[in-house]
């Protein structure tokens, strides 16, 4: 199993540009989570999906953030327009049963820098 | 609302020492608790997962315990090595707050050679 795969590993962009982060969950996992990690706020849940359907997006900070999961093997997190305060590490995680039995598996993250 | 705290925030020990990291949570209604390791600039690696019905889990030099009634978990690391240096996070999967883990802030461990 290749684990949770995220791309790109690093992204540097200028303020105002659109940024798209990508995630491929582990095959057979029916839950997918997007987290953001900063020094100040730690790990924050942004949104999660169950069977490709967004269940809770209350952690999405603003309308500039959007996430999609068009199929069971792919999800995107988009920021448009990006701002310097969006600079953080964005993690994707997947699980079976929502983590109630098997816990979470995290990807390696995307380090986003908005200048 | 479930809250998770970890003490200490940072810990520095000489190589070879046994050490304990602490995790506390406010609501005992959990499915499980998971310990993760995060190396600088890297993702989270799962170390141990303890179900609410279990008291402890062991993997190599690591032993995690869970006392659900008191809202506490400990991660015991035996014979620490410089390669154990990382940030250790605990996370609980609540029964009552939706389908996601609640993370603690982490303990940054440095093992000195």
């Amino acid at each position: 199993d290749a684990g949770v795969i995220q791309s790109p590993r690093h992204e540097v962009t200028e303020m105002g540009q659109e940024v798209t982060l990508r995630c491929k969950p582990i095959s057979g996992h029916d839950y997918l989570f997007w987290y953001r990690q900063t020094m100040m706020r730690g790990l924050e849940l942004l949104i999660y999906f169950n069977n490709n359907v967004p269940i809770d997006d209350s952690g999405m900070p603003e309308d500039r953030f959007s996430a999609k999961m068009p199929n069971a093997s792919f999800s995107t997190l988009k920021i448009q327009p990006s701002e310097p305060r969006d600079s953080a590490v964005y993690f994707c995680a997947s699980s079976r049963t929502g983590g109630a039995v098997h816990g979470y598996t995290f990807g390696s993250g995307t380090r986003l820098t908005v200048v | 609302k479930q809250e998770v705290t970890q003490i200490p925030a940072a810990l520095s020990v000489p190589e070879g020492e046994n050490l304990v990291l602490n995790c506390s949570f406010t609501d005992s209604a959990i499915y499980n608790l998971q310990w993760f390791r995060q190396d600088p600039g890297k993702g989270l690696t799962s170390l141990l997962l303890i179900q609410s019905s279990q008291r402890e889990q062991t993997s190599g030099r690591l032993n995690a315990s869970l006392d659900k009634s008191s809202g506490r978990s400990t991660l015991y690391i035996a014979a620490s090595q410089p390669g154990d240096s990382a940030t250790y996070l605990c996370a609980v999967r609540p029964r009552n707050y939706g389908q996601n883990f609640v993370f603690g802030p982490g303990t940054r461990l440095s093992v000195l050679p």
Side-chain angles (χ1 to χ4, degrees):
Chain A
D1 195 332
V4 177
I5 300 173
Q6 291 187 247
S7 65
R9 291 297 306 275
H10 302 275
E11 177 81 36
V12 180
T13 190
E14 292 185 347
M15 182 174 65
Q17 296 297 307
E18 176 179 297
V19 175
T20 299
L21 312 181
R22 297 173 176 80
C23 176
K24 177 180 168 56
I26 292 174
S27 178
H29 283 193
D30 54 348
Y31 283 83
L32 184 141
F33 305 82
W34 281 101
Y35 280 85
R36 177 171 69 176
Q37 186 178 41
T38 61
M39 288 292 291
M40 290 297 295
R41 300 170 71 94
L43 270 166
E44 302 174 279
L45 177 68
L46 300 177
I47 185 171
Y48 76 91
F49 296 82
N50 177 216
N51 292 323
N52 315 335
V53 176
I55 303 299
D56 184 353
D57 65 355
S58 60
M60 296 285 260
E62 302 171 32
D63 290 345
R64 298 185 295 107
F65 286 69
S66 62
K68 294 182 180 180
M69 192 165 186
N71 56 62
S73 60
F74 184 67
S75 176
T76 60
L77 178 68
K78 184 177 294 186
I79 308 172
Q80 165 64 16
S82 57
E83 297 182 3
R85 59 195 169 117
D86 301 330
S87 296
V89 182
Y90 291 81
F91 288 104
C92 175
S94 70
S95 74
R96 283 186 285 162
T97 69
V101 176
H102 302 287
Y104 282 13
T105 302
F106 276 78
S108 298
T110 295
R111 181 174 296 277
L112 173 65
T113 303
V114 183
V115 298
Chain B
K1 179 183 175 184
Q2 178 74 270
E3 293 183 358
V4 181
T5 55
Q6 291 185 248
I7 294 173
L11 180 64
S12 185
V13 300
E15 182 178 4
E17 273 202 8
N18 303 326
L19 59 99
V20 175
L21 307 181
N22 297 292
C23 172
S24 297
F25 48 96
T26 54
D27 189 338
S28 62
I30 63 171
Y31 283 112
N32 54 53
L33 182 147
Q34 194 167 4
W35 281 94
F36 294 88
R37 167 185 174 140
Q38 186 174 28
D39 293 283
K42 305 289 187 182
L44 280 71
T45 301
S46 178
L47 297 174
L48 291 163
L49 174 70
I50 312 176
Q51 301 296 340
S52 63
S53 58
Q54 298 174 318
R55 297 286 294 187
E56 64 179 320
Q57 282 283 343
T58 298
S59 176
R61 294 183 294 108
L62 305 180
N63 177 277
S65 68
L66 175 64
D67 184 342
K68 197 174 58 169
S69 61
S70 66
R72 290 190 291 187
S73 176
T74 61
L75 179 66
Y76 175 83
I77 303 177
S80 58
Q81 304 170 357
D84 296 330
S85 298
T87 296
Y88 291 81
L89 297 99
C90 70
V92 297
R93 171 65 168 84
R95 291 182 178 271
N96 302 325
Y97 302 110
Q99 301 282 351
N100 69 87
F101 275 82
V102 178
F103 283 84
T107 293
R108 190 172 66 254
L109 173 66
S110 296
V111 181
L112 307 175

